[in-house]
Amino acid sequence: MVKFARHARVVRLRSDQTLLCSQSDHAPYRYNCGHLIEAALAHRDYYKNDKLLEPMIKYVGLVSSLFGPEEGKIHGYPGHPEIELALLRLHAATGSKSAYSLARYFIEERGNPTGQEGKHYYEWEAERRGDSPWKRPNHYPEARDHWYNQAHVPIMQQQTIEGHSVRALYLLTAVADLLCIEQENSYQLEKPDQWRATLIRLWENMVDQKMYITGGVGAIKQWEGFGIDYFLPQSTDEGGCYAETCASIAVMFLAERMLSIDLNGQYGDIMELCLYNNVMTAMSLDGKAFTYVNQLGSSDKDNSGREDWFWCACCPPNFTRLFGSLGGYLWHFGESDQQAFINVHLYTSATLTFDSSAGPVELEMKSHWPWEGKISFALHQPDSIKTTMKFRIPAWSAEQFTLTPPAKSTSVTDGYLTLYPDYISANPVFALEIHGFEPRFVEPHPYTNQSTVSLARGPIIYCLEDAHNSWETNHFKDVVLKAGEAVKEESRTQEPSGEKYVALRSTVGKRSLANWQSRKPGKDPSSRVRAMEVGEYREAVFIPYYMRANSGGNGHMRVGLIKG
């Protein structure tokens, strides 16, 4: 995430007003404003007053008076997107047209090469500060690398997702919000099909070429973001792996909006992958320690562990905010003219209640997810309401499920099973059992050059750590796992938290480096190819990735093991 400046500079932007927005290509002022807007909306929902919202609306008015397309205003936009999605939330809550217009302007103006006095806004601003044209922030590989801020070209021209991962995903979340508003016919968005195509293009690039199997994104520490396609090293000593907590939370933000635009199970699958792996690993089981970076392999420089706090502490509050609002990710619902719908995206134990034109509708969901696939439902609704329900069937289940009582016909479309009102009326209490919870072997794309294999079960990705495998002393870098090896499940309880989980046991070997270790130093960087020698076979204990660094040990951990 953004690094906060120790001292803020006040730059006079107009003869009669000042605004803390200097160095907006990498300073966080409007980013902070966005979070304050969201805090004000939460404050209003809870306390039922506008004591925090009222000054934030004035703040938005100030920003709007300074930035915009009109003559005399600054034709610019924030360095760190966040205010955009916050403004659209403010619009949704209050109907503010100015909030909508300002958000849309920031999104559409971004990357304009001649927007401010014929110049790129960031370069115009740098000139105003008197910066050298060759000066670059530490996170820019070269001067004017505005892809770091997703401002190298206008958004609809961007072919790949680039730069700081959280910035990119907050920006795309705001674009998705614009499409959601357009879909509701509140405002007409120019070229909505092109905006939608842009979202899909960048989503697919992220998932297919730039996402770790844990749902983590962002391989590069220098700019806390995306590398080139398929560059997904597991650890520092392999050349990277950042996978910031906030970035996977932002993936969930975007996925939830995409499900509103296009009900497709791929978005729910990725939302679930992020939640149960790269996000959940971000807090210790006792709630006292956190991660900012979530590498898939430890090293001598970066052991697997957590910290009590961070000097840039964006991830812990973002984590708690996500879990405080997790109900909004479980399902989408609504009703019109006594026709109701409920789309279930994530499974857990929870109760949904909403008002309809004929009275309250309540859905109870009970399960032991993510360890078991059986989910029980009970729907209570007025007789006049006709409800259609859709349930995500995860891709890892190969669309295998059992519905009890059975329906006359069932089919899965775009990853969702549909139950129509006649079934729901006849069976208000029913159960859905999703299959595919047996352990499976997974691997990253061949172009990553990882040649690794990992274990997964349901939505959970597993890892090895030395707290459960005390024989390991080299971060599992030479451990070999053969796909297809027998895997045993074991129910466990983590102490002292009392967390119940399923561990996996399988046989692993160790790669021999004897041929390399016996060579004379400094003689030759290569060696004649030989078959990999594997020995020292033993049983290893695999635990869920999110449970790492909760049981002591020396911080040795790895997700992807050498493919045997």
Side-chain angles (χ1 to χ4, degrees):
M1 290 286 288
V2 67
K3 300 299 187 286
F4 290 84
R6 182 170 297 179
H7 301 292
R9 292 174 59 199
V10 180
V11 174
R12 187 167 296 278
L13 299 176
R14 290 171 55 179
S15 60
D16 58 339
Q17 295 181 356
T18 59
L19 179 66
L20 289 172
C21 61
S22 154
Q23 303 185 42
S24 63
D25 55 332
H26 55 276
Y29 309 119
R30 277 161 284 169
Y31 165 86
N32 290 347
C33 176
H35 278 304
L36 277 171
I37 292 168
E38 295 196 82
L41 292 170
H43 179 277
R44 187 176 77 158
D45 285 345
Y46 188 80
Y47 290 105
K48 311 302 179 186
N49 65 58
D50 293 338
K51 291 183 178 179
L52 182 55
L53 185 60
E54 183 178 342
M56 290 314 301
I57 289 175
K58 293 180 180 178
Y59 193 171
V60 170
L62 173 61
V63 177
S64 184
S65 72
L66 295 171
F67 292 87
E70 296 86 359
E71 185 177 352
K73 289 188 178 181
I74 297 172
H75 301 159
Y77 35 85
H80 195 312
E82 211 290 331
I83 192 173
E84 297 88 345
L85 63 92
L87 287 168
L88 293 172
R89 284 193 63 190
L90 179 64
H91 161 72
T94 66
S96 170
K97 293 182 180 180
S98 62
Y100 173 87
S101 298
L102 183 58
R104 182 168 167 177
Y105 175 74
F106 281 152
I107 293 168
E108 293 180 335
E109 179 66 15
R110 192 173 205 87
N112 183 348
T114 58
Q116 180 65 27
E117 297 180 5
K119 301 174 182 177
H120 190 287
Y121 170 55
Y122 292 160
E123 293 172 16
W124 171 86
E125 194 181 45
E127 289 181 7
R128 296 263 295 185
R129 293 194 302 266
D131 291 351
S132 164
W134 311 115
K135 178 182 178 180
R136 66 168 181 85
N138 290 335
H139 38 266
Y140 276 40
E142 297 181 4
R144 299 185 176 88
D145 275 342
H146 300 311
W147 49 259
Y148 168 78
N149 297 300
Q150 300 75 48
H152 50 305
V153 293
I155 298 172
M156 283 200 288
Q157 297 177 26
Q158 296 179 19
Q159 300 303 307
T160 56
I161 192 165
E162 302 294 344
H164 189 280
S165 53
V166 180
R167 296 176 190 231
L169 287 158
Y170 279 9
L171 179 63
L172 294 182
T173 298
V175 173
D177 281 334
L178 280 181
L179 282 169
C180 289
I181 292 170
E182 195 270 343
Q183 196 166 264
E184 295 167 357
N185 296 316
S186 299
Y187 288 87
Q188 291 300 309
L189 187 64
E190 292 184 15
K191 303 177 181 178
D193 290 343
Q194 292 186 30
W195 283 107
R196 185 177 289 105
T198 296
L199 278 180
I200 293 171
R201 179 175 66 249
L202 298 180
W203 170 276
E204 290 177 349
N205 176 240
M206 174 184 70
V207 173
D208 295 344
Q209 282 100 36
K210 299 188 178 185
M211 178 174 281
Y212 288 96
I213 66 169
T214 56
V217 292
I220 309 298
K221 180 179 181 179
Q222 181 182 352
W223 53 84
E224 298 182 309
F226 299 103
I228 59 175
D229 287 355
Y230 302 111
F231 182 70
L232 293 168
Q234 289 198 93
S235 57
T236 300
D237 57 357
E238 291 182 9
C241 189
Y242 205 71
E244 183 182 337
T245 299
C246 282
S248 288
I249 291 173
V251 173
M252 292 184 63
F253 290 171
L254 177 57
E256 186 270 334
R257 270 69 159 192
M258 295 298 284
L259 285 166
S260 294
I261 297 167
D262 175 20
L263 187 63
N264 191 307
Q266 66 183 10
Y267 304 119
D269 287 351
I270 294 299
M271 186 164 68
E272 181 179 65
L273 177 70
C274 292
L275 173 64
Y276 282 107
N277 298 286
N278 207 68
V279 173
M280 278 183 54
T281 198
M283 187 175 75
S284 60
L285 294 178
D286 64 7
K288 296 180 180 179
F290 306 89
T291 64
Y292 193 108
V293 177
N294 299 292
Q295 296 185 331
L296 278 69
S298 60
S299 63
D300 288 341
K301 183 177 180 180
D302 289 307
N303 282 348
S304 174
R306 296 182 180 83
E307 303 292 336
D308 294 339
W309 203 244
F310 307 96
W311 72 270
C312 177
C314 51
C315 296
N318 216 359
F319 180 95
T320 55
R321 178 178 70 158
L322 174 72
F323 275 81
S325 57
L326 199 56
Y329 297 81
L330 301 182
W331 32 42
H332 288 149
F333 55 89
E335 182 263 347
S336 179
D337 298 327
Q338 299 191 345
Q339 301 291 317
F341 75 91
I342 303 174
N343 301 330
V344 182
H345 310 306
L346 298 174
Y347 300 109
T348 184
S349 292
T351 300
L352 167 68
T353 303
F354 64 94
D355 292 327
S356 74
S357 57
V361 176
E362 180 181 275
L363 176 66
E364 295 180 73
M365 174 170 63
K366 295 182 180 180
S367 78
H368 294 292
W369 199 275
W371 311 117
E372 299 176 9
K374 185 175 182 179
I375 314 110
S376 299
F377 295 94
L379 182 66
H380 309 279
Q381 63 179 1
D383 292 340
S384 60
I385 295 295
K386 305 300 181 183
T387 300
T388 299
M389 298 184 66
K390 297 187 178 185
F391 303 87
R392 182 179 59 89
I393 306 298
W396 49 259
S397 73
E399 296 189 359
Q400 299 299 304
F401 63 91
T402 301
L403 180 65
T404 307
K408 292 180 180 179
S409 64
T410 57
S411 63
V412 176
T413 302
D414 291 334
Y416 278 79
L417 166 69
T418 300
L419 298 182
Y420 295 99
D422 55 348
Y423 177 89
I424 298 297
S425 298
N427 304 283
V429 177
F430 59 95
L432 174 65
E433 183 170 4
I434 294 175
H435 303 167
F437 273 80
E438 61 276 0
R440 64 188 188 278
F441 295 88
V442 298
E443 63 180 349
H445 195 283
Y447 289 173
T448 64
N449 292 318
Q450 289 290 308
S451 190
T452 60
V453 63
S454 304
L455 275 172
R457 182 183 183 276
I460 302 294
I461 301 296
Y462 282 73
C463 69
L464 291 178
E465 71 169 357
D466 66 327
H468 301 276
N469 300 279
S470 58
W471 41 268
E472 180 56 28
T473 59
N474 192 33
H475 305 282
F476 301 95
K477 291 168 65 173
D478 297 308
V479 173
V480 178
L481 176 64
K482 184 177 181 180
E485 191 74 47
V487 181
K488 296 181 291 186
E489 299 184 9
E490 181 180 296
S491 296
R492 288 190 170 196
T493 301
Q494 200 276 345
E495 298 297 347
S497 69
E499 177 88 2
K500 297 183 183 298
Y501 67 99
V502 175
L504 303 178
R505 289 181 177 270
S506 190
T507 299
V508 299
K510 185 175 182 180
R511 173 180 59 185
S512 173
L513 297 178
N515 180 50
W516 291 93
Q517 293 167 342
S518 63
R519 290 155 48 86
K520 183 178 179 180
K523 184 178 181 180
D524 191 346
S526 65
S527 175
R528 186 180 297 273
V529 174
R530 302 181 182 182
M532 182 171 61
E533 297 180 16
V534 182
E536 299 183 37
Y537 289 97
R538 67 186 83 204
E539 188 177 63
V541 177
F542 294 75
I543 65 165
Y545 176 69
Y546 82 83
M547 294 192 72
R548 66 186 175 96
N550 277 288
S551 302
N554 296 311
H556 294 241
M557 181 278 302
R558 192 160 296 267
V559 171
L561 306 176
I562 299 168
K563 186 189 298 185

